[in-house]
Amino acid sequence: MSQKKSKGSPSLQSIKSLPVDFSFVGSPGNERMMVSDSVLGNGASLTEAEEGYANGNDNVYRNNESPYSKWTEDRPSVGDDGEGMKAASSFKSFGRSPVDSKWSDTTPYAAKKKLTSWFQLPDGNWELGTVLPTSGNETLISLAEGKVLTVNSENLVPANPDILDGVDDLMQLSYLNEPSVLYNLQYRYNRDMIYSKAGPVLVAINPFKKVPLYGNDYIEAYKSKSVESPHVYAITDTAMREMIRDEVNQSIIISGESGAGKTETAKIAMQYLAALGGGSGIEYEILKTNPILEAFGNAKTLRNNNSSRFGKLIEIHFSETGKLSGAEIQTFLLEKSRVVQQSEGERSYHIFYQLCAGAPPILREKLNLKNANEFNYLRQSNCYTISGVDDAEQFHVVMEAMDIVHVSKEDQESVFTMLAAVLWLGNVSFTVVDSENHVEPVADEGLINVATLIGCKVEELKLALSTRNMIIRNENIVQKLTQSQAIDTRDALAKSIYSCLFDWLVEQINKSLAVGKRRTGRSISILDIYGFESFERNSFEQFCINYANERLQQHFNRHLFKLEQEEYIYNGIDWAKVDFEDNQDCLNLFEKKPLGLLSLLDEESTFPNGTDLTFANKLKQHLNSNTCFRGERDKAFMVSHYAGQVVYDTTGFLEKNRDLLHLDSIQLLSSCTSHLPKAFASSLLTQSEKPVIGALYKSGGADSQKLSVATKFKGQLFQLMQRLEKTTPHFIRCIKPNDFQSPGIYNQGLVLQQLRCCGVLEVVRISRSGFPTKMSHQKFARRYGFLLLDHVASQDPLSVSVAILHQFNILPDMYQVGYTKLFFRTGQIGILEDTRNRTLHGILRVQSCFRGHQVRRYAKDLRRGIATLQSYVRGEKTRKEYAVLLERHRAAISIQKQIKGRISRKKFKNINDASVLIQSVIRGWMVRRCSGDIGFLQFGGKKGAEQEEVLVKSSVLAEMQRRVLRAEAALREKEEENDVLHQRLQQYENRWSEYELKMKSMEEVWQKQMRSLQSSLSIAKRSLAFDDSRRNSDASTNAIEDSESSWDRGNNFRTHESGGVRRMNAGLSVISRLADEFEQRSQIFGDDAKFLVEAKSGQVDANLDPDQELRRLRQMFDAWKKDYGARLRETKVILHKLGNEEGSANKVSKKWWGRRNSTRFI
């Protein structure tokens, strides 16, 4: 629990030992405590500042040089009220003080008056007290409650001055010991400053609540370097900058216990990388992989509501411009046993509960889903919900994330189908069928649903769960399973389906995030792997997890301790070696062959009769001599890990290591109709066919051989270490402040245990006494050589490097020159970097001004040249346009001339036609006027001198003339229409030449026939006009004014000559009918011919054959022409007879008719 400084100094629970490098030296004349050289350096005397503080004068620290002077007045003293600590204003970070050497632990601690110290009480707790005047070996110390104790000076641990409370880097502490480190972390934790630095390592304490340290504002602040306080953003930004600067891949290794916040820390680092290298759109997909992997790979445990039950390495790739170009995810050791078994108070994987709570009604009905408490695999632990978490809402988040990473709707439905199949497998029950305890599955709802969901037959599923095929001496033997064996087969099938589903899902995500051709070789890997675990009962999973943590700890040691010190020795650096706890012995215990833990486990797994007890006995027999191993009672054994001793129970070790899925189950999956079970079977068979390295297991007739889980995990771990060795590591140590997952509670004993496991104090000591920044001579000279005032290009890199150091007055204590590299203490390279950046900025400024001047001159010349070129181009363009306009003008004039000529000709033709028409009308009128009434027509009659006279009225003759004129006008119209049709036919001459020729020939035939008819009609008319001529000749002898009297006389004779008039009227009616028939037939044949031409040219739509209709029209015309000609000839005969009777007047009649015709056609 967090303790208030007011009610006594902080009581540090369970701190019962000091670092091994502390030693105490005392004498009667000088009671003071000495600290080893590795911590306190050369053992110099107290500085002036410390002496002032020891004498009660803390004003020494409150000078203008100290960056902490603004906080010293707010810090409560040891004996003040604890509320003062709560009221102290929180601050973001502390920088290194310019007088940092004043707090360095290179000065021995002296127990002087009023100096604060940490005192360990008899119950093991530490409290802060004030040292009073001492005598001899005993010291008086005043505690916060006012209690004064006499203690041995050897039991006191020095405390840091108040001004150093809450520094953001543990390297700034004057006295580096466990109570001071714990107090400093607690001081910051109480003020929501959860991040602290321990040299190159970031220490992150889980606040178990939301703290205002994240968001776009903080990202921009760390991106622009305006904030320097410790943060995940700062570590990630450093990795990004080093990747771009050094062109070396980076890695961020996040470690810690379960519940320490590793997963959230990894997500924060990914968010910063996405914001820093975003823009291509793939950063959103990378971030959306977190909800999917958490749903399928995380579960609630007793220590953590969102515990990662697998390890993952996310390798994020960048383009040459520093933008995200893709990512790849690698997973390790998924805890498959959690699918079928959970402890009380824990849950299976989140996705099962999310599916049961948030599946849409259609999906629930399709998968036959029920509530979580109705599935056997989920109700074992009686825990179905997590406080503050809505599983239904999280299910929709997972579905949205799957859409974003391009998992299709069909594949999503297949994934949920497999999850439902796993749940229903847990509800499959068995019934005993014989006396030997053999069983078969009950054909109930569970069995039927499983068969339906995976796409197999119920009988095949029953056989796979209740029988096992074995091949012994080339014979196939079917063995029935007992109830325990059947349950194990069912659970193995469920675990394999879920494990294969998880691997398939990761594969689909990697396809979506694939780099492709954009790969540049630059990447930052984020490792989020399970932390060290130690429970009341530790099984095979904890065995593998702690082995992985041993490997990671060695990687940590190699980079921060081993390699660092080996490099110092290699380069001949004056260096005091720091001792640290090496875990190589523990790794040898795991990996040594043939008598290591892993080798013995695989060996025992190969024996058909091997059991967990025989395995435990074999370990005790061969490994009892190892200092890191101790055999326990029954099936247990103990391993001394770097983080402490862990007792493992070997129950289930062999079965979990074998992880055997029999070939019957694989064949069942391969026979399913769904594509995912087939893919799972193919993957399992591929793993079985791989060359086996190490121990094998072949028992019970199983004919599939595969790598054991331990061997496969060891191979993955070695590959992971090889990838990490090729990167520059950045370490984040996550600390869990309490086991209750509650904010504000700081369990100092738990924190101290984790700090010891992480080796934080050793990291600080080696970093503070060492040279964390190093650079080769060549790189240093190449990077900073241009800053020299003198030209030293011809000198060797070492001389250039030394010249640079002298020019910038870097103190000799702050660096050392090695054989191949330069080594700098913390903060020294920053001075050179700042100067380099300022110089480069100035150079770039000058270059930008000069280049701007050049560009402006070039732009001015270019603009002038462009203007000249544009003038030429525009002139040429204008001339071309003028030439085109001129041609158009000439063409327009020519067109206008042609159009005006055509209009004039058409107008002249119309006027001419009108004039002819007017002349014809006038002449006709004049003829009619001159002719008047015709008097008498005498026809030859009876012999004997009696002559018959016929009186013809002028109106009848006029009517006949009008009919003849109409017939002639109609004939002319038909001729004009024929001309129009002829013109139209000529327009289609190229396309229908044969048809035009045929029509033209037919038109000529028609014209000949028309002329023949016209000539025949003319003859008839002339014959008929004989009487008219006679009457006209008689009328000419009489005066015009006597016409009325002549008409009266004619009327007197009509009664006597009625028979002659009737004959004449009959002849006139026959001629009238022939003329009307000719007009009608001409109109009909013309219309039909015009319609056929239009149908042939496509102007009208008609369902007929134009050629056939044309032939039929011609036949009709020929028939009519023949008939019409016959009738016309008969009429001519009749008229001829009448003409013979009037022989005397024949010549006169013909002469008049010819004169009339000549007048009409003028």
Side-chain angles (χ1 to χ4, degrees):
M1 297 290 294
S2 175
Q3 296 186 6
K4 300 178 182 178
K5 194 173 179 180
S6 59
K7 298 179 182 179
S9 53
S11 178
L12 305 180
Q13 302 289 340
S14 306
I15 304 179
K16 299 182 180 180
S17 63
L18 292 172
V20 295
D21 48 67
F22 279 98
S23 60
F24 302 94
V25 180
S27 62
N30 184 19
E31 296 115 68
R32 65 180 184 177
M33 181 182 298
M34 301 293 293
V35 186
S36 68
D37 292 341
S38 64
V39 178
L40 303 181
N42 299 323
S45 59
L46 281 169
T47 63
E48 178 181 354
E50 289 170 330
E51 290 176 356
Y53 183 82
N55 294 326
N57 183 13
D58 58 354
N59 290 330
V60 178
Y61 297 100
R62 300 180 182 177
N63 51 48
N64 294 331
E65 295 180 357
S66 174
Y68 310 110
S69 59
K70 57 185 177 182
W71 293 300
T72 54
E73 297 178 358
D74 295 333
R75 183 187 188 277
S77 60
V78 174
D80 292 340
D81 189 1
E83 297 301 324
M85 177 180 292
K86 287 187 178 181
S89 60
S90 62
F91 47 87
K92 294 289 183 185
S93 65
F94 295 89
R96 281 295 296 262
S97 169
V99 290
D100 184 68
S101 59
K102 294 181 180 179
W103 335 118
S104 64
D105 51 0
T106 57
T107 304
Y109 170 75
K112 294 190 176 181
K113 182 172 62 175
K114 294 185 179 180
L115 197 64
T116 56
S117 299
W118 294 103
F119 172 68
Q120 189 175 27
L121 298 176
D123 58 0
N125 298 328
W126 289 86
E127 288 196 12
L128 187 65
T130 303
V131 178
L132 302 178
T134 60
S135 60
N137 291 334
E138 294 183 350
T139 301
L140 295 178
I141 184 170
S142 175
L143 303 181
E145 296 87 353
K147 188 186 303 183
V148 178
L149 299 177
T150 301
V151 298
N152 193 328
S153 58
E154 295 182 355
N155 295 331
L156 296 180
V157 177
N160 290 287
D162 298 346
I163 197 174
L164 295 181
D165 286 351
V167 292
D168 58 4
D169 193 344
L170 299 180
M171 289 179 61
Q172 298 177 4
L173 294 177
S174 297
Y175 302 108
L176 185 64
N177 47 56
E178 290 179 348
S180 297
V181 170
L182 275 177
Y183 173 72
N184 190 77
L185 295 178
Q186 181 180 0
Y187 185 92
R188 294 177 61 81
Y189 177 77
N190 292 337
R191 289 157 179 77
D192 289 338
M193 293 183 287
I194 61 174
Y195 296 112
S196 302
K197 288 189 67 176
V201 179
L202 178 69
V203 178
I205 303 179
N206 193 345
F208 294 114
K209 65 179 182 179
K210 293 183 177 180
V211 291
L213 296 177
Y214 313 102
N216 293 331
D217 294 338
Y218 282 89
I219 290 175
E220 291 298 325
Y222 282 94
K223 183 178 178 180
S224 61
K225 290 291 185 180
S226 59
V227 176
E228 296 291 341
S229 57
H231 202 288
V232 177
Y233 291 163
I235 291 290
T236 311
D237 186 79
T238 301
M240 186 76 174
R241 294 178 184 273
E242 291 186 4
M243 180 194 71
I244 297 174
R245 184 190 67 193
D246 301 334
E247 297 185 355
V248 176
N249 293 342
Q250 309 289 309
S251 60
I252 301 175
I253 301 175
I254 305 171
S255 59
E257 286 192 9
S258 178
K262 300 184 298 298
T263 301
E264 291 299 321
T265 302
K267 289 161 63 175
I268 294 170
M270 292 171 62
Q271 290 171 1
Y272 187 81
L273 288 177
L276 209 62
S280 60
I282 199 172
E283 67 276 4
Y284 194 51
E285 296 182 28
I286 295 176
L287 293 178
K288 282 301 178 179
T289 60
N290 290 319
I292 301 175
L293 295 178
E294 286 186 15
F296 285 84
N298 289 24
K300 179 185 182 303
T301 63
L302 295 176
R303 296 188 177 185
N304 186 5
N305 289 340
N306 189 31
S307 176
S308 296
R309 308 317 299 164
F310 71 105
K312 66 178 177 181
L313 177 71
I314 303 178
E315 188 175 18
I316 302 176
H317 296 270
F318 295 85
S319 63
E320 295 179 354
T321 58
K323 298 297 182 181
L324 287 172
S325 61
E328 183 181 0
I329 300 175
Q330 182 181 358
T331 59
F332 310 95
L333 194 65
L334 177 70
E335 186 183 7
K336 295 191 291 185
S337 61
R338 183 167 292 271
V339 175
V340 300
Q341 184 179 6
Q342 308 93 38
S343 301
E344 185 73 21
E346 295 187 350
R347 293 203 322 175
S348 185
Y349 291 103
H350 296 324
I351 188 61
F352 290 118
Y353 306 91
Q354 294 171 0
L355 178 64
C356 293
I362 298 177
L363 184 62
R364 294 183 66 89
E365 182 179 357
K366 187 173 183 179
L367 304 182
N368 295 321
L369 285 177
K370 297 183 178 181
N371 295 328
N373 57 5
E374 298 184 55
F375 291 107
N376 293 335
Y377 280 161
L378 303 183
R379 64 186 179 193
Q380 302 176 32
S381 61
N382 295 322
C383 181
Y384 306 105
T385 60
I386 299 176
S387 177
V389 177
D390 186 352
D391 288 324
E393 180 181 352
Q394 291 300 315
F395 181 75
H396 295 294
V397 172
V398 172
M399 292 185 67
E400 179 185 355
M402 286 185 173
D403 291 334
I404 293 174
V405 298
H406 308 298
V407 178
S408 65
K409 292 294 184 183
E410 293 78 8
D411 286 342
Q412 290 183 34
E413 185 173 327
S414 299
V415 169
F416 300 142
T417 301
M418 292 300 102
L419 294 175
V422 170
L423 292 177
W424 280 112
L425 265 175
N427 286 17
V428 174
S429 57
F430 300 91
T431 180
V432 179
V433 296
D434 55 24
S435 59
E436 297 181 2
N437 201 26
H438 294 153
V439 296
E440 69 176 14
V442 178
D444 55 4
E445 182 184 18
L447 187 71
I448 296 174
N449 284 335
V450 172
T452 303
L453 292 172
I454 66 176
C456 71
K457 297 180 180 178
V458 176
E459 293 300 325
E460 294 178 352
L461 181 60
K462 291 178 65 175
L463 289 176
L465 296 180
S466 60
T467 61
R468 184 176 302 166
N469 290 320
M470 296 183 298
I471 299 177
I472 299 178
R473 296 178 181 177
N474 296 326
E475 293 185 7
N476 189 11
I477 299 177
V478 179
Q479 177 187 4
K480 293 184 178 180
L481 301 181
T482 63
Q483 185 163 2
S484 60
Q485 292 174 335
I487 292 175
D488 291 341
T489 302
R490 179 199 65 186
D491 292 345
L493 180 60
K495 291 187 294 184
S496 296
I497 291 177
Y498 189 81
S499 176
C500 292
L501 177 64
F502 183 79
D503 295 338
W504 178 87
L505 195 58
V506 172
E507 182 181 355
Q508 299 305 308
I509 293 175
N510 285 335
K511 289 180 181 178
S512 174
L513 304 179
V515 180
K517 296 181 179 179
R518 297 171 293 176
R519 182 185 297 271
T520 63
R522 298 178 181 177
S523 66
I524 296 179
S525 301
I526 301 177
L527 178 63
D528 174 18
I529 201 166
Y530 13 64
F532 184 83
E533 292 185 353
S534 178
F535 303 122
E536 292 183 2
R537 181 182 178 276
N538 300 287
S539 186
F540 179 75
E541 289 79 14
Q542 284 71 41
F543 178 79
C544 294
I545 287 172
N546 292 339
Y547 166 56
N549 278 271
E550 287 287 349
R551 264 288 165 196
L552 290 174
Q553 182 64 24
Q554 189 194 46
H555 181 72
F556 178 79
N557 292 341
R558 279 175 54 81
H559 279 273
L560 295 183
F561 302 130
K562 279 186 177 180
L563 298 180
E564 190 82 11
Q565 296 189 101
E566 289 174 0
E567 190 167 18
Y568 291 160
I569 296 173
Y570 176 76
N571 280 273
I573 301 300
D574 185 11
W575 155 260
K577 188 174 182 180
V578 176
D579 294 329
F580 63 91
E581 184 176 354
D582 193 0
N583 66 336
Q584 186 60 49
D585 292 340
C586 186
L587 283 175
N588 291 337
L589 174 65
F590 276 88
E591 299 172 354
K592 188 177 180 181
K593 294 182 179 180
L595 298 179
L597 289 174
L598 299 177
S599 299
L600 293 175
L601 176 61
D602 285 345
E603 179 183 340
E604 192 66 20
S605 298
T606 60
F607 297 138
N609 298 325
T611 63
D612 298 326
L613 181 59
T614 59
F615 169 62
N617 293 333
K618 180 176 289 188
L619 293 181
K620 297 172 187 177
Q621 176 184 354
H622 294 285
L623 300 178
N624 264 338
S625 59
N626 194 302
T627 56
C628 296
F629 178 87
R630 186 178 72 230
E632 301 289 339
R633 291 184 300 176
D634 299 330
K635 301 179 183 180
F637 66 93
M638 185 272 295
V639 176
S640 296
H641 291 281
Y642 74 95
Q645 296 180 350
V646 180
V647 177
Y648 297 99
D649 185 356
T650 60
T651 302
F653 260 57
L654 297 185
E655 179 185 353
K656 293 177 180 179
N657 186 49
R658 292 165 180 166
D659 189 30
L660 184 63
L661 182 67
H662 289 278
L663 191 58
D664 298 329
S665 300
I666 299 178
Q667 291 176 348
L668 173 69
L669 294 178
S670 64
S671 66
C672 294
T673 57
S674 301
H675 72 280
L676 279 185
K678 288 184 177 180
F680 298 162
S682 176
S683 174
L684 293 171
L685 289 174
T686 302
Q687 293 178 8
S688 301
E689 293 171 359
K690 288 181 179 179
V692 179
I693 302 174
L696 301 176
Y697 170 63
K698 186 175 181 180
S699 175
D703 31 5
S704 66
Q705 296 179 348
K706 55 183 290 188
L707 292 174
S708 67
V709 174
T711 302
K712 184 164 60 176
F713 180 65
K714 179 182 176 182
Q716 290 180 337
L717 197 58
F718 270 88
Q719 292 178 2
L720 173 64
M721 292 298 108
Q722 289 176 359
R723 293 176 67 173
L724 294 180
E725 287 291 342
K726 297 176 182 179
T727 64
T728 300
H730 304 268
F731 296 96
I732 300 178
R733 295 298 198 184
C734 296
I735 303 296
K736 181 171 64 173
N738 60 79
D739 287 326
F740 307 104
Q741 305 180 32
S742 300
I745 301 177
Y746 187 85
N747 188 332
Q748 296 149 337
L750 179 63
V751 173
L752 179 60
Q753 178 187 2
Q754 296 174 75
L755 291 176
R756 286 173 176 171
C757 293
C758 296
V760 171
L761 297 180
E762 287 81 358
V763 170
V764 175
R765 292 196 343 255
I766 194 172
S767 298
R768 199 160 66 171
S769 58
F771 302 89
T773 305
K774 43 191 171 294
M775 194 176 297
S776 65
H777 299 157
Q778 293 81 1
K779 185 175 181 179
F780 186 83
R782 184 171 61 252
R783 187 168 183 82
Y784 304 107
F786 70 95
L787 298 176
L788 288 176
L789 300 178
D790 300 329
H791 182 69
V792 291
S794 60
Q795 298 183 13
D796 60 281
L798 180 59
S799 302
V800 174
S801 302
V802 173
I804 294 171
L805 297 173
H806 290 166
Q807 177 173 312
F808 288 93
N809 296 323
I810 297 179
L811 299 177
D813 294 341
M814 296 293 102
Y815 72 91
Q816 286 199 32
V817 180
Y819 299 139
T820 60
K821 295 182 179 180
L822 293 173
F823 296 82
F824 297 91
R825 293 194 184 275
T826 303
Q828 299 306 309
I829 203 68
I831 301 173
L832 294 176
E833 278 294 318
D834 292 340
T835 305
R836 179 179 181 272
N837 292 336
R838 287 195 303 270
T839 305
L840 287 177
H841 181 72
I843 293 172
L844 292 176
R845 187 66 179 170
V846 172
Q847 287 180 346
S848 65
C849 293
F850 178 71
R851 289 172 179 169
H853 172 68
Q854 283 186 323
V855 170
R856 285 189 292 273
R857 286 186 58 189
Y858 175 74
K860 186 176 180 181
D861 295 340
L862 187 61
R863 189 182 297 109
R864 189 182 300 113
I866 291 173
T868 303
L869 183 60
Q870 285 178 344
S871 66
Y872 286 118
V873 172
R874 288 171 180 169
E876 181 66 20
K877 184 178 179 182
T878 303
R879 285 189 290 273
K880 288 183 179 180
E881 290 177 353
Y882 174 74
V884 172
L885 289 176
L886 186 60
E887 291 179 359
R888 289 182 179 178
H889 179 70
R890 292 173 179 171
I893 292 176
S894 178
I895 293 172
Q896 288 176 356
K897 181 174 66 175
Q898 296 293 332
I899 292 175
K900 288 178 180 178
R902 183 178 179 183
I903 293 174
S904 299
R905 287 189 295 273
K906 187 175 181 181
K907 184 177 180 182
F908 172 77
K909 186 176 183 301
N910 292 336
I911 294 173
N912 185 39
D913 293 342
S915 300
V916 171
L917 181 61
I918 292 172
Q919 287 177 356
S920 65
V921 172
I922 293 174
R923 289 172 180 170
W925 176 78
M926 290 177 67
V927 169
R928 288 189 296 273
R929 181 182 177 189
C930 294
S931 63
D933 293 330
I934 301 175
F936 298 98
L937 291 177
Q938 292 183 0
F939 293 88
K942 298 180 182 179
K943 297 179 181 180
E946 217 181 48
Q947 294 182 356
E948 186 175 331
E949 294 182 1
V950 180
L951 181 62
V952 180
K953 196 175 181 178
S954 61
S955 61
V956 175
L957 181 60
E959 178 64 21
M960 292 177 64
Q961 291 175 351
R962 282 195 297 273
R963 290 181 180 179
V964 172
L965 290 174
R966 283 199 300 271
E968 291 175 350
L971 185 60
R972 287 195 299 270
E973 288 177 359
K974 293 304 176 182
E975 290 175 352
E976 291 176 359
E977 289 178 0
N978 288 336
D979 294 336
V980 172
L981 291 174
H982 184 64
Q983 291 176 3
R984 290 182 180 177
L985 289 173
Q986 286 179 350
Q987 293 177 1
Y988 299 96
E989 183 177 0
N990 294 333
R991 297 174 59 184
W992 304 290
S993 57
E994 292 182 8
Y995 183 78
E996 287 180 357
L997 293 174
K998 187 184 298 184
M999 292 298 296
K1000 185 175 181 182
S1001 62
M1002 188 172 184
E1003 184 179 3
E1004 292 175 355
V1005 173
W1006 285 358
Q1007 288 177 357
K1008 291 179 183 180
Q1009 294 171 354
M1010 290 297 178
R1011 285 194 294 271
S1012 175
L1013 292 174
Q1014 287 176 2
S1015 62
S1016 299
L1017 186 59
S1018 298
I1019 294 170
K1021 289 179 180 178
R1022 284 196 299 271
S1023 299
L1024 184 62
F1026 171 73
D1027 295 333
D1028 294 339
S1029 62
R1030 287 185 60 185
R1031 282 190 292 271
N1032 287 337
S1033 63
D1034 293 339
S1036 63
T1037 60
N1038 297 322
I1040 298 174
E1041 57 272 8
D1042 296 332
S1043 61
E1044 293 181 0
S1045 61
S1046 298
W1047 181 256
D1048 293 336
R1049 290 194 300 269
N1051 288 335
N1052 294 329
F1053 285 101
R1054 289 176 64 182
T1055 58
H1056 301 287
E1057 301 294 331
S1058 58
V1061 173
R1062 283 194 298 271
R1063 289 193 299 268
M1064 180 59 66
N1065 287 338
L1068 290 174
S1069 63
V1070 171
I1071 294 173
S1072 177
R1073 285 195 301 272
L1074 288 174
D1076 292 339
E1077 182 181 356
F1078 179 83
E1079 182 178 357
Q1080 292 175 2
R1081 287 291 182 173
S1082 299
Q1083 180 69 27
I1084 291 172
F1085 290 137
D1087 293 340
D1088 291 342
K1090 182 179 179 180
F1091 175 78
L1092 292 176
V1093 170
E1094 291 177 351
K1096 183 69 174 181
S1097 61
Q1099 296 181 7
V1100 295
D1101 296 330
N1103 297 325
L1104 50 84
D1105 186 7
D1107 296 332
Q1108 183 179 356
E1109 292 296 326
L1110 182 61
R1111 288 193 296 271
R1112 188 177 66 81
L1113 182 61
R1114 184 173 182 177
Q1115 292 173 1
M1116 292 172 60
F1117 178 80
D1118 292 337
W1120 173 79
K1121 183 188 69 173
K1122 184 177 180 181
D1123 180 72
Y1124 188 86
R1127 285 186 283 132
L1128 189 59
R1129 284 192 297 272
E1130 292 176 359
T1131 304
K1132 288 172 65 177
V1133 171
I1134 295 171
L1135 292 176
H1136 183 66
K1137 290 179 180 180
L1138 292 174
N1140 291 335
E1141 293 176 357
E1142 299 172 351
S1144 61
N1146 190 18
K1147 293 181 180 180
V1148 178
S1149 177
K1150 288 182 180 181
K1151 189 175 183 180
W1152 180 89
W1153 184 265
R1155 188 170 61 251
R1156 183 178 179 275
N1157 285 337
S1158 64
T1159 304
R1160 187 184 62 186
F1161 290 105
I1162 293 177

